Amino acid sequence: MRQRPNAYLSLSFYAPTGSQHRANAVQGEGAAPGQFNIIKLAEQALQDVA
């Protein structure tokens, strides 16, 4: 069985609370155009990022 790659976006941002957030937004098979599922990857305090 051959799998085709799905479209995804990689997100990274710093929140005003002082933490960094990372996530992927993955377009599932059969999803409507522009519809993505968010998968949280990590959350770090700012002092841990430097």
Side-chain angles (χ1 to χ4, degrees), residues 15-43:
T17 58
S19 58
Q20 178 188 28
H21 299 265
R22 294 185 324 129
N24 281 344
V26 181
Q27 188 172 28
E29 205 168 311
Q35 184 177 18
F36 291 81
N37 296 317
I38 304 295
I39 301 169
K40 185 175 179 177
L41 298 176
E43 181 178 332

